[in-house]
Amino acid sequence: MTTQTTLPGKAATAARKQPRTQLSEKWLYVPMVLLALFFLFPIVFMLVSSFKTDAQIFSDMRGGISAFLPTGPLSLENYAQVFQKVPVGRFLLNSLVVSTATVVLGLVVNSMLGFALARMRWKGKGFVFAVILATLIVPFDAIAIPLLFEATKLPKLEFHGMMPVITLNWLNTYYVQIIPFIVNAFSVFLFRQYFSSIPAELDEAARVDGASWFTIYRKIAIPLAGPAFATVAILTFLPAWNQYLWPLMAVQSEELRPLNVGMDYFFQLKTSWGQVMAYASIIVTPVVLVFLSFQRAFVSSIASAGVKG
């Protein structure tokens, strides 16, 4: 004897629609995959071509899809030629120093400012936050010349032997490439939104136990804001790594210039397309690695900020 169960009306309708819904969702992935391939093809072409000779690159381009495949003889000769023609190691070190320092200092300063705007009660907080947001509409190109003029008057610490000396003029230093870009309005906004989502009861309990605001920031807010820190790290690293106009204006010394400006030196030499692809791959690879390392936290933070903001 078998028993037959009958689903209620709405449940039965939902059960009939479910396979159709799953099928339509699968079709949504088709344009997404095509769009992803569209953006990936230039990067794949650049990386693959960096290991080929010029003759092989142009021959594969006539063959269509083979231009994106590691066909023919492959070698590291293009990378070796890049390192022989220009001090790309020095340029790479400068970019790493500037980008890393900007990210680390930016995380500290912007997170503390975002915490103060989100958790602490003080007079004028709303006005300060409005002024910070207003700076988002000012393009950097509009303030580049005044900032360059002010940089010539700022003091900096130097060491002559073991003797520390205070001198003026930030031009041709790491100072001028790092410090003006530490505070970022969007980073402050993102931290403020994330810290605002933390329950206020945690602050009150910590204050009752005698914790200071800095202790609450260090022991409660920071451990709960991992996705926000990852997102700000990516959003700070990308522009710092891709800086071109500002180092070109403020740094004349070849010893302190980053990778993107160093490419100007490279193009002035007799270079092949394979070497150009190799130099471009050296610029792009660290950015891709940083994004892949933090992409999960980046998506999580953007999604939560969009829902709660």
Side-chain angles (χ1 to χ4, degrees):
M1 180 177 179
T2 60
T3 59
Q4 184 174 3
T5 58
T6 304
L7 294 173
K10 292 184 178 179
T13 304
R16 286 195 298 271
K17 288 182 177 179
Q18 189 174 6
R20 183 177 297 177
T21 304
Q22 290 178 348
L23 184 62
S24 62
E25 288 180 352
K26 288 181 180 177
W27 279 107
L28 285 176
Y29 285 101
V30 174
M32 293 169 66
V33 170
L34 293 176
L35 193 62
L37 291 176
F38 178 77
F39 285 108
L40 278 177
F41 273 157
I43 298 177
V44 173
F45 175 77
M46 176 189 66
L47 291 174
V48 170
S49 299
S50 67
F51 298 102
K52 298 179 181 177
T53 62
D54 276 14
Q56 187 67 40
I57 292 174
F58 290 111
S59 173
D60 290 344
M61 288 176 67
R62 287 191 292 271
I65 193 65
S66 58
F68 303 95
L69 301 175
T71 57
L74 304 176
S75 71
L76 294 173
E77 180 61 24
N78 291 326
Y79 289 91
Q81 289 295 321
V82 169
F83 277 88
Q84 288 179 6
K85 290 185 175 181
V86 291
V88 69
R90 181 69 192 185
F91 297 152
L92 182 61
L93 176 65
N94 292 335
S95 291
L96 286 174
V97 169
V98 171
S99 302
T100 304
T102 306
V103 169
V104 173
L105 295 174
L107 288 176
V108 174
V109 174
N110 293 319
S111 65
M112 293 181 74
L113 188 51
F115 178 83
L117 291 169
R119 315 297 294 186
M120 300 173 67
R121 298 185 183 90
W122 45 282
K123 193 174 181 180
K125 184 171 69 173
F127 176 75
V128 171
F129 184 54
V131 171
I132 291 174
L133 288 183
T135 61
L136 284 172
I137 65 174
V138 181
F140 178 75
D141 297 351
I143 62 172
I145 298 300
L147 185 61
L148 187 69
F149 180 71
E150 291 298 325
T152 61
K153 304 176 183 178
L154 296 172
K156 66 176 184 293
L157 178 64
E158 289 184 340
F159 287 91
H160 294 172
M162 297 297 292
M163 182 67 67
V165 178
I166 301 294
T167 60
L168 299 180
N169 193 359
W170 279 12
L171 300 186
N172 286 320
T173 63
Y174 284 126
Y175 291 92
V176 77
Q177 300 182 71
I178 297 172
I179 295 178
F181 305 98
I182 291 176
V183 178
N184 181 274
F186 184 75
S187 300
V188 175
F189 168 77
L190 195 61
F191 275 122
R192 179 188 177 275
Q193 295 301 102
Y194 213 91
F195 288 140
S196 297
S197 67
I198 300 174
E201 290 77 9
L202 294 176
D203 292 355
E204 297 170 0
R207 296 290 289 174
V208 169
D209 291 339
S212 64
W213 281 113
F214 183 73
T215 302
I216 296 172
Y217 160 77
R218 185 168 56 89
K219 294 188 176 180
I220 296 177
I222 289 180
L224 294 174
F229 275 88
T231 302
V232 172
I234 292 176
L235 297 180
T236 307
F237 181 84
L238 291 180
W241 185 265
N242 293 327
Q243 284 249 20
Y244 177 77
L245 175 63
W246 181 247
L248 192 64
M249 295 169 58
V251 180
Q252 283 75 45
S253 172
E254 184 179 313
E255 293 292 315
L256 295 172
R257 286 193 157 179
L259 268 174
N260 287 295
V261 180
M263 203 165 190
D264 279 348
Y265 296 106
F266 187 66
F267 277 137
Q268 293 172 10
L269 307 173
K270 186 178 180 182
T271 56
S272 66
W273 282 110
Q275 294 168 11
V276 171
M277 296 299 173
Y279 197 107
S281 299
I282 295 173
I283 295 177
V284 171
T285 301
V287 178
V288 175
L289 293 178
V290 169
F291 180 76
L292 292 178
S293 302
F294 295 103
Q295 63 167 338
R296 189 178 297 274
F298 176 76
V299 173
S300 172
S301 176
I302 292 296
S304 61
V307 172
K308 296 164 186 172

